[in-house]
Amino acid sequence: MKQRKFRSLHSHFISKYPKLFLCLLVSVLVLFSCSEKRAIKEQEKYGEPHRPQLHFSPDSMWMNDPNGMVYLDGEYHLFYQYYPDSTVWGPMHWGHAISCDLIHWEHLPIALYPDSLGWIFSGSAVADLQNTSGLGTANNPPLVAIFTYHNNTNGIIFPQSQGIAYSLDKGRTWSKYAGNPVLITNELPDFRDPKVVWHETSHKWIMALAVKDHVAFYSSFNLIDWNHESNFGFEVGEHRGIWECPELLKMEDEGGKEKWVLFVSINSSGPNKGSGTQYFVGDFDGFNFTSSQKQIKWIDFGSDNYAGVTWSNVPKEDGRTLFLGWMSNWMYATVVPTDNWRNAMTFPRELTLTEDNFLRSLPVRELELLRGLEYKTGPFQLDGEFSLADKVPFELYPVELNLEYETNSDAILEIILSNSRKEKVVIAFNAVDNTMIIDRSKSGSVAFSDVFYTTHVAPIKQGTRVGDIRLKSNTQVQMLIDVSSIEVFVNEGETVMTDIFFPSEPFKQITFQAVNGNIKIEKASVYKLNSIWN
């Protein structure tokens, strides 16, 4: 009865208002046509040469450090250093994107623009849930961004200062604090990158700030008035470069013991030259960070993971330490061969801390959302070459490769990514000297930089040697292979390497090769990964 009545009304409307109906029909068809065209346009944009399919990249133009990473009401906010007028670094803004799953990202309008106090350099954001700043209300507490002002007027670089901005609509719009800057110095040009955390014991905010060759700690009860507490790092760690993007955070090690970890990025003296991020494990009492660590420890031994920090306000029921880094290197970031966009972020990672104070790093579990078809093989004895392209019924990019092999010999395992133009990247695991090597010297476009084509090396544990005998031990490897990058995680993230590359066509072939002996492949699996832009 209702269906007949609807049809009757529908016919009556058409007969009485034929022109209006025709106009509405045309409007709907145009709307669908425009939507389809927009979808095709977006697909084409994110299908550009070298555009990452697994990693966040800007819609267009220049991007570097991740900033202001904060979780609120089901959304992960990612802000980032952004220059909307060029693919080369310039006056910094804060770009903005959000995600509900750490994988798929929605681009939002620019959050922070330069003003009379300077460009907007790196910083952090917190959910001021108790409204300690007074910038919101008890019922609508603010998100507060803390950032560095970089004043470069007429070529004169003034001392850097810290400013804040706040949002009362879940980060969609931002207002700068009228009393900016909230922290100034009259002497130091390198005084930047504030990362702020809530210290529960002392009920105050703690800021870690990079000050040229060390980290300074400041405290505040309201995010506005800051007091200097202490310094760390004058005589420890790597110092052949400027310290940047520090972060102090509390973690429990795998044995359940509470510890504090301090990240410090350093430019020009990373583990394989250029940019890198070191870390220190110790204790923090609300005033001083202390560490007995003598060894320099790196979050990532590759060339392309810099300025990484973690998301704040991650729910306690989740409990993870979620990390993201800039996937490039200041030695060549401004000249990499991409056209209307430059640079990407690493895949989001979960950090854990071992009882002997080493960080493990693995892709977040949400990676499973991208998995499609799977191919499995093993165990088998590798003697010579084994090509996955001959076995796998799908294109070998982007993919996740998982591998476990026995390391009871001195043979070298090589995993070779290649294409029809004989371009290649070689990842080698050497049981003789316990190293992993990534060789991108023949990866395609390398001439844009005289340092890009170098080979990168990282230490790994591959079994125990007693005299001339290597004891039986298995090595586990997980790789994320994107259009223009590879991230390698060895032995549950004990050793990590991240490198980018720019082949003239994607690497659609993956070959295992045993050099100087045989290697037993215990098991191997390959997942076809879907694009995050679909």
Side-chain angles (χ1 to χ4, degrees):
M1 183 70 181
K2 288 182 180 180
Q3 188 176 14
R4 287 198 299 271
K5 185 176 182 181
F6 174 79
R7 288 176 177 173
S8 176
L9 289 172
H10 181 251
S11 300
H12 176 72
F13 178 82
I14 295 174
S15 61
K16 190 172 183 179
Y17 305 104
K19 291 184 179 180
L20 178 59
F21 175 77
L22 182 61
C23 181
L24 289 172
L25 180 61
V26 170
S27 297
V28 169
L29 292 174
V30 169
L31 178 63
F32 275 111
S33 177
C34 291
S35 298
E36 185 178 4
K37 288 179 180 178
R38 280 197 299 270
I40 293 172
K41 185 177 180 181
E42 290 297 300
Q43 188 175 10
E44 290 175 349
K45 173 181 289 186
Y46 296 114
E48 302 157 325
H50 308 309
R51 172 73 79 165
Q53 296 301 300
L54 309 178
H55 299 82
F56 177 84
S57 56
D59 177 78
S60 61
M61 302 304 167
W62 170 270
M63 180 186 76
N64 58 287
D65 306 358
N67 297 154
M69 290 158 48
V70 61
Y71 175 89
L72 183 68
D73 295 341
E75 295 178 334
Y76 295 93
H77 290 262
L78 168 61
F79 302 89
Y80 51 91
Q81 291 287 274
Y82 184 55
Y83 185 33
D85 298 325
S86 176
T87 55
V88 178
W89 184 91
M92 287 290 97
H93 302 54
W94 270 25
H96 189 194
I98 57 170
S99 174
C100 296
D101 59 10
L102 290 168
I103 303 297
H104 303 91
W105 294 93
E106 176 187 352
H107 292 287
L108 294 182
I110 293 172
L112 298 176
Y113 288 80
D115 58 40
S116 61
L117 294 175
W119 303 350
I120 312 298
F121 269 22
S122 291
S124 55
V126 297
D128 184 15
L129 301 179
Q130 300 177 51
N131 193 32
T132 63
S133 63
L135 297 172
T137 65
N139 293 328
N140 187 23
L143 283 177
V144 179
I146 309 96
F147 55 87
T148 294
Y149 272 120
H150 177 80
N151 192 340
N152 185 10
T153 304
N154 297 323
I156 301 173
I157 299 178
F158 293 87
Q160 293 173 337
S161 60
Q162 316 312 312
I164 62 173
Y166 61 97
S167 173
L168 300 177
D169 57 2
K170 297 184 179 181
R172 267 49 180 188
T173 60
W174 291 83
S175 300
K176 290 174 183 165
Y177 176 61
N180 278 339
V182 297
L183 180 59
I184 61 175
T185 174
N186 295 321
E187 302 174 356
L188 301 168
D190 298 307
F191 185 72
R192 60 175 177 263
D193 309 338
K195 185 67 164 74
V196 173
V197 298
W198 177 253
H199 189 250
E200 294 179 0
T201 304
S202 59
H203 298 285
K204 60 185 179 183
W205 299 99
I206 299 296
M207 175 194 295
L209 198 68
V211 187
K212 189 176 181 179
D213 61 351
H214 66 281
V215 174
F217 296 104
Y218 290 80
S219 68
S220 174
F221 292 103
N222 60 9
L223 294 168
I224 297 170
D225 303 300
W226 293 92
N227 297 306
H228 179 256
E229 296 290 358
S230 60
N231 299 312
F232 174 83
F234 287 109
E235 298 179 353
V236 297
E238 177 59 68
H239 279 272
R240 293 173 296 169
I242 298 294
W243 283 28
E244 297 183 311
C245 302
E247 175 173 10
L248 179 69
L249 71 157
K250 183 172 65 174
M251 296 183 71
E252 281 191 3
D253 69 17
E254 293 172 343
K257 185 177 180 180
E258 183 181 290
K259 297 175 181 177
W260 288 81
V261 182
L262 176 66
F263 302 156
V264 180
S265 290
I266 185 165
N267 189 29
S268 78
S269 56
N272 277 288
K273 297 183 179 180
S275 308
T277 302
Q278 58 186 327
Y279 66 93
F280 306 88
V281 182
D283 188 38
F284 182 72
D285 61 5
F287 303 94
N288 297 279
F289 176 77
T290 56
S291 175
S292 59
Q293 179 178 313
K294 304 300 181 185
Q295 177 184 358
I296 297 175
K297 299 177 180 180
W298 302 100
I299 287 180
D300 192 313
F301 284 87
S303 186
D304 297 300
N305 181 0
Y306 189 65
V309 288
T310 69
W311 267 276
S312 67
N313 200 44
V314 174
K316 289 185 178 179
E317 57 269 27
D318 183 317
R320 291 178 295 172
T321 300
L322 300 172
F323 173 93
L324 190 76
W326 178 47
M327 198 164 63
S328 195
N329 193 305
W330 280 115
M331 292 191 297
Y332 44 73
T334 60
V335 294
V336 293
T338 56
D339 293 328
N340 73 315
W341 62 278
R342 273 216 172 101
N343 305 317
M345 298 299 182
T346 66
F347 198 83
R349 303 173 183 182
E350 179 182 0
L351 302 181
T352 55
L353 184 65
T354 67
E355 292 184 70
D356 57 351
N357 296 337
F358 283 89
L359 284 175
R360 295 183 188 271
S361 175
L362 285 172
V364 294
R365 59 177 177 251
E366 287 84 351
L367 171 64
E368 296 178 2
L369 298 173
L370 297 178
R371 287 176 177 171
L373 295 173
E374 181 186 15
Y375 167 80
K376 291 183 178 181
T377 187
F380 64 91
Q381 199 73 20
L382 179 64
D383 182 8
E385 293 186 354
F386 176 84
S387 173
L388 283 174
D390 297 335
K391 307 290 183 181
V392 176
F394 47 80
E395 280 194 340
L396 284 170
Y397 85 97
V399 295
E400 172 192 354
L401 171 63
N402 294 287
L403 174 71
E404 182 176 330
Y405 68 95
E406 190 177 293
T407 52
N408 61 342
S409 73
D410 289 337
I412 297 172
L413 171 63
E414 292 185 345
I415 300 176
I416 304 167
L417 316 181
S418 60
N419 60 23
S420 64
R421 300 191 180 185
K422 298 184 178 180
E423 297 167 343
K424 64 180 180 179
V425 171
V426 179
I427 305 96
F429 301 90
N430 190 332
V432 177
D433 57 8
N434 290 340
T435 58
M436 170 172 58
I437 297 170
I438 297 182
D439 181 356
R440 62 182 180 188
S441 62
K442 299 178 181 178
S443 59
S445 179
V446 297
F448 58 85
S449 166
D450 59 1
V451 297
F452 184 81
Y453 57 83
T454 55
T455 297
H456 302 142
V457 182
I460 60 173
K461 297 177 182 178
Q462 291 185 311
T464 303
R465 184 186 292 275
V466 178
D468 294 329
I469 301 174
R470 179 172 296 282
L471 302 181
K472 180 178 179 180
S473 176
N474 287 352
T475 298
Q476 298 173 327
V477 180
Q478 181 180 16
M479 294 185 183
L480 296 186
I481 303 169
D482 205 342
V483 178
S484 54
S485 68
I486 184 167
E487 293 167 283
V488 186
F489 306 86
V490 182
N491 292 336
E492 299 295 323
E494 201 172 71
T495 299
V496 181
M497 291 189 79
T498 303
D499 273 358
I500 60 175
F501 41 73
F502 301 94
S504 57
E505 64 180 39
F507 294 131
K508 297 183 180 181
Q509 301 169 28
I510 302 176
T511 304
F512 297 165
Q513 181 170 287
V515 180
N516 298 330
N518 300 326
I519 293 175
K520 184 179 181 182
I521 304 295
E522 296 287 357
K523 56 185 177 181
S525 66
V526 184
Y527 288 98
K528 173 65 178 176
L529 297 178
N530 297 310
S531 172
I532 66 172
W533 306 116
N534 289 341

